[in-house]
Amino acid sequence: MGRPAALTAAAPVHAPEPSGLAGWLDWSVAVGGMRLTLASLLAAVLVLALFLVGSALVRRGLNRYGQTHQGINPSSLYTVERLVHYLLLVIGVLWALSVAGVPVAKMTVFAGAIGVGLGFGLQAIFNNFVSGLILLFERSLKVGDFVELASGLHGTVRDIHIRATRISTNDNIGILVPNSEFVSGRVVNWTLSEAARRQKIPFGVAYGTDKERVKKAALEAAAAVPFTLCQDGPRAPQVWLSGFGESSLDFQLVVWLTPEATRRPGSVTAAYNWALHTALEKYGIEVPFPQPDLHVRSWPDSRPGATSPARPDTPIGLADNDAARDVQREIDESAASPSPTGDATAR
């Protein structure tokens, strides 16, 4: 006698379980009511990687385009490069989430969680990110600008990243400064509108010195330094009597610097000081030093640094001016490699 038909129909039928690579790819996990498979996660990672590679290729293409076309503004090209990178990154993340099986509409919960995180631990990072976008769009700070912060830090802007801006100081030290410091703090941009800048070099001479002789010596010193913008016209070097010190007449040599020398204020000041000292010695002008000594003019003066007789034939040049030679060498190196994002630094 055979088995009943009902019992035969109720017997369970087991489908063969997948094995090998297919079994691993079908492995899934439930997250927030969504089931994500290993295959979809791998596909999402691949999509994101393709967008990152595409962003790198686009940026490299823009850099080559800027190198082959001399009329392109480097700062504008850099801004376009960063914006394209951010745009491709956002599109890649959204596409990767879609490929993984995560509906964008269901990301509101994660967006709320991110908002809470921004309100607490991530607010500084978010602030720097928004500040970086402001710098790129506003263009008040560009790659290649020479800036000085309120803290006294000064250097050349090399890169503007998401969180921080890299500045190369005069000592060839790279410093990462948060982007928010450029937006909320006081920043002096020496090359924002015009690269040429005026610089004042103070010096003092002894009381009783002829002012016209001091002026002649200072102007010769300015002419001997190759970083003086011009020797005549409205931007010609000037000599100001700025004050009366306790033991000296205080002067200032006021010069307009060439655009290349503007980025090297320390070395340029040292170069002018060297030329000034040589010129003052040439004309026998005494540089006083404050100390309560009794000076008897009738005695032979054997003090170190005492006034020497005038030497009008002494040349004032760059033969012994180390600071001037150092700045000139760096200007020549910068002219040989004019890339705005390079690592050549000011000194």
Side-chain angles (χ1 to χ4, degrees):
M1 189 174 178
R3 302 178 64 184
L7 294 178
T8 303
V13 179
H14 298 279
E17 295 184 359
S19 59
L21 180 60
W24 282 103
L25 294 178
D26 289 337
W27 179 84
S28 61
V29 59
V31 178
M34 299 175 294
R35 184 164 296 276
L36 306 178
T37 63
L38 182 59
S40 62
L41 293 177
L42 292 177
V45 172
L46 180 60
V47 169
L48 185 59
L50 289 177
F51 271 89
L52 291 177
V53 173
S55 173
L57 293 177
V58 170
R59 286 181 292 164
R60 182 177 300 179
L62 290 175
N63 287 331
R64 290 182 178 178
Y65 180 80
Q67 294 174 0
T68 55
H69 296 74
Q70 300 297 330
I72 301 298
N73 189 349
S75 61
S76 301
L77 188 64
Y78 180 83
T79 302
V80 173
E81 174 190 334
R82 301 309 302 177
L83 293 178
V84 169
H85 172 68
Y86 295 153
L87 180 61
L88 290 179
L89 186 62
V90 171
I91 295 176
V93 170
L94 295 178
W95 199 336
L97 291 175
S98 178
V99 170
V102 180
V104 180
K106 293 186 177 181
M107 293 299 296
T108 54
V109 178
F110 296 98
I114 293 176
V116 173
L118 291 176
F120 292 96
L122 301 179
Q123 57 180 349
I125 298 178
F126 187 73
N127 184 20
N128 291 324
F129 173 73
V130 175
S131 299
L133 294 179
I134 292 175
L135 294 177
L136 291 175
F137 280 105
E138 190 180 36
R139 298 186 61 189
S140 59
L141 184 70
K142 304 179 295 295
V143 174
D145 285 349
F146 187 81
V147 297
E148 181 177 357
L149 303 180
S151 59
L153 174 68
H154 57 272
T156 304
V157 177
R158 296 302 180 188
D159 300 294
I160 302 177
H161 295 290
I162 295 178
R163 189 191 64 85
T165 296
R166 183 169 68 93
I167 291 181
S168 181
T169 66
N170 295 343
D171 298 324
N172 198 18
I173 300 176
I175 298 180
L176 295 177
V177 181
N179 293 329
S180 58
E181 187 169 344
F182 292 98
V183 176
S184 59
R186 182 180 64 86
V187 180
V188 179
N189 192 339
W190 288 39
T191 55
L192 178 60
S193 57
E194 185 181 358
R197 286 293 179 270
R198 189 173 68 176
Q199 188 157 343
K200 302 174 183 177
I201 297 90
F203 66 98
V205 299
Y207 278 102
T209 307
D210 183 14
K211 299 188 296 297
E212 294 300 325
R213 191 153 57 112
V214 174
K215 181 177 181 179
K216 183 177 181 181
L219 292 179
E220 284 191 15
V225 179
F227 316 124
T228 305
L229 183 62
C230 56
Q231 299 297 330
D232 51 9
R235 293 189 174 183
Q238 296 177 334
V239 181
W240 296 353
L241 178 58
S242 58
F244 300 92
E246 294 182 358
S247 59
S248 65
L249 290 172
D250 298 331
F251 287 87
Q252 285 184 344
L253 174 60
V254 183
V255 292
W256 282 87
L257 302 179
T258 58
E260 296 81 6
T262 301
R263 303 171 183 271
R264 303 161 177 87
S267 298
V268 168
T269 301
Y272 280 103
N273 284 334
W274 187 282
L276 274 172
H277 187 266
T278 303
L280 294 178
E281 283 188 338
K282 171 184 175 180
Y283 285 91
I285 299 175
E286 179 181 359
V287 179
F289 48 92
Q291 60 179 10
D293 291 342
L294 178 63
H295 299 277
V296 181
R297 291 289 181 179
S298 60
W299 290 356
D301 200 347
S302 58
R303 293 177 291 109
T307 304
S308 57
R311 295 178 292 170
D313 298 332
T314 302
I316 304 176
L318 301 182
D320 299 323
N321 198 332
D322 294 338
R325 291 203 310 270
D326 188 44
V327 175
Q328 188 63 49
R329 174 183 57 81
E330 293 186 357
I331 291 176
D332 296 338
E333 292 177 356
S334 299
S337 56
S339 174
T341 58
D343 290 332
T345 58
R347 189 173 301 278

